[in-house]
Amino acid sequence: MISSKFLALALAAGLPLSNALSIQERANITQTFQSSFSPGTKIYLASDPNFANETTQRWTVYEEPTYAAAIIPALASDVQTIVKIAGRYGIPFLATGGGHGLSTTLSKIQNGISIDLSRFKNVTINEAASTVTVGGANVFSDVFETVWNAGKEMATGSCACPGIVGATVGGGVGRLQGLHGLIIDTLVSVVMVTADGSLVTASETENADLFWGVRGAGPNFGIILWATYKIFDQTNGGYAFNADFIFPANESHNHWQALKEVSKNMPAELALISGINYNEAHGGLNILVNAVYYGPEAEGRALIAPFYNNNPLVSNTSYVHVSQLISVAAFGLFADTQCDKGKHVNTYTVGATGVDVPTWDAHVQNFTALYQTYPQARLSTAFVETFPNQAVLEADGSKTAVPQKHREITNYVFVTPSLPSLSPMGNFQLTTRENERKKRLWGYNYADPSIDTQINQFASSARTAFTATSGFEDLELYVTYAHGDEGPQTWYREKLGQLEQLKRKWDPNQLFGFMNPVPLK
């Protein structure tokens, strides 16, 4: 049995990590590291037959990182040990929480070690302080019931399964941002392992410089094990008006006109999501719309009246407690069916300040041509999140690493196939809510890597077109939605210089350099 020191030196000498590990039996590897880790820590080799079932897998397999092994630490001290050993011998690693990171920059880690944080999953309410503390592996659906049962709400994303911490550290957008700001604006503190293996707390009063960097460029500075957030009294007594629509292709122009109208002077309580969708049952290309209003139903109906007037093929409305919202919004699109791993998701996005109707008209035509040329892409949806930003702008932007221009974004445009589509199989008939739930089939993103080049060309062209009419001089986007080719100047703008200084202090050897990295000059 070789020692862990020999193994690490072999890795540092250039022996591929997969080869270095594969020459050892799993039992020997476990025994080798037993003296370094607590008894509850698990080690899995990629060659193990149960590797995929026992470790957290990535949501998208497009331009994915690869691992020779995954370590599931039981304690914070185990994470510290991994970082210290990896830093000493130059072993690449990546921490995995929810596994929903989209950026292609993550593919730079090959044959590395996955630090699987699945043991760090807890949700604790502090009612006196009006805060909630979550673990590094908790996803949004984990907090809904706990927070709502306490009569509270928190800023979250719109889907059930992305990791809370992962979504937060790039800024964090969602339906409630008009009321509470970006998720990052509600962050109180984090407990994290830094590049030298230290376990530190970062807040506005403790390691304040690190806390500033975490709020907007967090993956560059360490591994967050626990995060504490502000929570708020429930808006409208915890109830929301939800409305879903499907429009035919010939009404797409009218929809973008309606979206432009509804989103002007948008109240903080309203959130809209629109998608370009393919469904043979409704004639091919469709426009899918979801509206959520955290207020009385009558007010919500009045606000979105232009959508009702646009001749929807299908409409479904409900007034529900927010605990049910994730399962009903957009016909359930953002619920657990979105959590299946192993999809081929290739994402390009643009941030915009409004809705340019001609650009959307052209994009619908282009998407129609894409569907016709590449039927594989019909199992996808391109979409735009239209969220208010009153509280986002009211927050003191100097306290976070989020660029000020990014706070001005009100439309988060996904220009490529980015979500599961309604089934194109022809059997999606919406009559009652129960029938819809029974008959719904969800397709997934195009699963044919052979058309990646064509999709990338399509997406790059679309991104250029949307950038030209975005309301900004250059490409602006929410960094967590980045494709990965935009570069640090686009990701971090005027905050880049300060982030570089912070990087030199907290991670001079760039151990955390895989997720939209801050460069060292």
mmCIF file of all heavy atoms in Angstrom, residues 87-103:
data_model
loop_
_atom_site.group_PDB
_atom_site.id
_atom_site.type_symbol
_atom_site.label_atom_id
_atom_site.label_comp_id
_atom_site.label_asym_id
_atom_site.label_seq_id
_atom_site.Cartn_x
_atom_site.Cartn_y
_atom_site.Cartn_z
ATOM 1 N N GLY A 87 -3.631 21.762 -2.033
ATOM 2 C CA GLY A 87 -2.814 22.946 -2.229
ATOM 3 C C GLY A 87 -1.332 22.642 -2.165
ATOM 4 O O GLY A 87 -0.532 23.216 -2.920
ATOM 5 N N ARG A 88 -0.957 21.729 -1.300
ATOM 6 C CA ARG A 88 0.464 21.400 -1.123
ATOM 7 C C ARG A 88 1.034 20.717 -2.351
ATOM 8 O O ARG A 88 2.180 20.966 -2.746
ATOM 9 C CB ARG A 88 0.628 20.504 0.106
ATOM 10 C CG ARG A 88 2.083 20.226 0.499
ATOM 11 C CD ARG A 88 2.122 19.348 1.733
ATOM 12 N NE ARG A 88 1.331 19.923 2.817
ATOM 13 C CZ ARG A 88 0.556 19.212 3.644
ATOM 14 N NH1 ARG A 88 0.469 17.902 3.494
ATOM 15 N NH2 ARG A 88 -0.109 19.806 4.597
ATOM 16 N N TYR A 89 0.224 19.854 -2.978
ATOM 17 C CA TYR A 89 0.749 19.049 -4.073
ATOM 18 C C TYR A 89 0.156 19.390 -5.442
ATOM 19 O O TYR A 89 0.390 18.689 -6.415
ATOM 20 C CB TYR A 89 0.517 17.565 -3.778
ATOM 21 C CG TYR A 89 1.267 17.095 -2.555
ATOM 22 C CD1 TYR A 89 0.581 16.756 -1.400
ATOM 23 C CD2 TYR A 89 2.652 17.013 -2.562
ATOM 24 C CE1 TYR A 89 1.267 16.336 -0.266
ATOM 25 C CE2 TYR A 89 3.349 16.593 -1.438
ATOM 26 C CZ TYR A 89 2.654 16.258 -0.296
ATOM 27 O OH TYR A 89 3.338 15.843 0.811
ATOM 28 N N GLY A 90 -0.612 20.454 -5.512
ATOM 29 C CA GLY A 90 -1.129 20.892 -6.801
ATOM 30 C C GLY A 90 -2.181 19.990 -7.395
ATOM 31 O O GLY A 90 -2.273 19.842 -8.619
ATOM 32 N N ILE A 91 -2.988 19.369 -6.552
ATOM 33 C CA ILE A 91 -4.051 18.498 -7.025
ATOM 34 C C ILE A 91 -5.297 19.347 -7.308
ATOM 35 O O ILE A 91 -5.796 20.023 -6.419
ATOM 36 C CB ILE A 91 -4.395 17.425 -5.982
ATOM 37 C CG1 ILE A 91 -3.144 16.624 -5.603
ATOM 38 C CG2 ILE A 91 -5.484 16.500 -6.495
ATOM 39 C CD1 ILE A 91 -3.345 15.704 -4.419
ATOM 40 N N PRO A 92 -5.820 19.338 -8.518
ATOM 41 C CA PRO A 92 -7.005 20.153 -8.816
ATOM 42 C C PRO A 92 -8.246 19.586 -8.150
ATOM 43 O O PRO A 92 -8.429 18.369 -8.080
ATOM 44 C CB PRO A 92 -7.109 20.074 -10.341
ATOM 45 C CG PRO A 92 -6.470 18.776 -10.695
ATOM 46 C CD PRO A 92 -5.360 18.569 -9.697
ATOM 47 N N PHE A 93 -9.107 20.462 -7.670
ATOM 48 C CA PHE A 93 -10.333 20.022 -7.009
ATOM 49 C C PHE A 93 -11.437 21.034 -7.262
ATOM 50 O O PHE A 93 -11.185 22.187 -7.620
ATOM 51 C CB PHE A 93 -10.118 19.851 -5.500
ATOM 52 C CG PHE A 93 -9.762 21.138 -4.785
ATOM 53 C CD1 PHE A 93 -10.742 22.002 -4.315
ATOM 54 C CD2 PHE A 93 -8.437 21.485 -4.606
ATOM 55 C CE1 PHE A 93 -10.416 23.182 -3.663
ATOM 56 C CE2 PHE A 93 -8.099 22.671 -3.952
ATOM 57 C CZ PHE A 93 -9.081 23.516 -3.479
ATOM 58 N N LEU A 94 -12.649 20.584 -7.048
ATOM 59 C CA LEU A 94 -13.813 21.441 -7.208
ATOM 60 C C LEU A 94 -14.862 20.991 -6.208
ATOM 61 O O LEU A 94 -15.160 19.801 -6.104
ATOM 62 C CB LEU A 94 -14.370 21.339 -8.621
ATOM 63 C CG LEU A 94 -15.399 22.379 -9.066
ATOM 64 C CD1 LEU A 94 -14.748 23.758 -9.150
ATOM 65 C CD2 LEU A 94 -15.967 21.996 -10.433
ATOM 66 N N ALA A 95 -15.407 21.925 -5.453
ATOM 67 C CA ALA A 95 -16.474 21.601 -4.509
ATOM 68 C C ALA A 95 -17.802 21.540 -5.248
ATOM 69 O O ALA A 95 -18.085 22.369 -6.120
ATOM 70 C CB ALA A 95 -16.537 22.633 -3.393
ATOM 71 N N THR A 96 -18.621 20.554 -4.901
ATOM 72 C CA THR A 96 -19.920 20.366 -5.543
ATOM 73 C C THR A 96 -21.021 20.456 -4.505
ATOM 74 O O THR A 96 -21.034 19.703 -3.536
ATOM 75 C CB THR A 96 -19.998 18.993 -6.235
ATOM 76 O OG1 THR A 96 -18.945 18.891 -7.200
ATOM 77 C CG2 THR A 96 -21.333 18.813 -6.933
ATOM 78 N N GLY A 97 -21.938 21.414 -4.700
ATOM 79 C CA GLY A 97 -23.097 21.544 -3.833
ATOM 80 C C GLY A 97 -24.307 20.966 -4.542
ATOM 81 O O GLY A 97 -24.569 19.776 -4.511
ATOM 82 N N GLY A 98 -25.073 21.827 -5.237
ATOM 83 C CA GLY A 98 -26.219 21.354 -6.001
ATOM 84 C C GLY A 98 -25.839 20.758 -7.343
ATOM 85 O O GLY A 98 -26.607 20.010 -7.940
ATOM 86 N N GLY A 99 -24.663 21.122 -7.872
ATOM 87 C CA GLY A 99 -24.209 20.589 -9.145
ATOM 88 C C GLY A 99 -24.786 21.282 -10.366
ATOM 89 O O GLY A 99 -24.771 20.729 -11.458
ATOM 90 N N HIS A 100 -25.262 22.539 -10.207
ATOM 91 C CA HIS A 100 -25.929 23.225 -11.312
ATOM 92 C C HIS A 100 -25.081 24.303 -11.975
ATOM 93 O O HIS A 100 -25.602 25.099 -12.756
ATOM 94 C CB HIS A 100 -27.240 23.854 -10.825
ATOM 95 C CG HIS A 100 -28.401 22.926 -10.931
ATOM 96 N ND1 HIS A 100 -28.502 21.798 -10.167
ATOM 97 C CD2 HIS A 100 -29.507 22.943 -11.708
ATOM 98 C CE1 HIS A 100 -29.625 21.166 -10.457
ATOM 99 N NE2 HIS A 100 -30.252 21.836 -11.390
ATOM 100 N N GLY A 101 -23.802 24.366 -11.686
ATOM 101 C CA GLY A 101 -22.963 25.359 -12.337
ATOM 102 C C GLY A 101 -22.963 25.177 -13.847
ATOM 103 O O GLY A 101 -22.757 24.074 -14.350
ATOM 104 N N LEU A 102 -23.175 26.264 -14.599
ATOM 105 C CA LEU A 102 -23.329 26.188 -16.046
ATOM 106 C C LEU A 102 -22.071 26.539 -16.822
ATOM 107 O O LEU A 102 -21.910 26.113 -17.963
ATOM 108 C CB LEU A 102 -24.451 27.135 -16.496
ATOM 109 C CG LEU A 102 -25.863 26.829 -16.011
ATOM 110 C CD1 LEU A 102 -26.795 27.980 -16.369
ATOM 111 C CD2 LEU A 102 -26.375 25.532 -16.614
ATOM 112 N N SER A 103 -21.168 27.320 -16.249
ATOM 113 C CA SER A 103 -20.074 27.893 -17.016
ATOM 114 C C SER A 103 -19.150 26.829 -17.595
ATOM 115 O O SER A 103 -18.758 25.870 -16.918
ATOM 116 C CB SER A 103 -19.253 28.845 -16.136
ATOM 117 O OG SER A 103 -18.157 29.371 -16.867
#
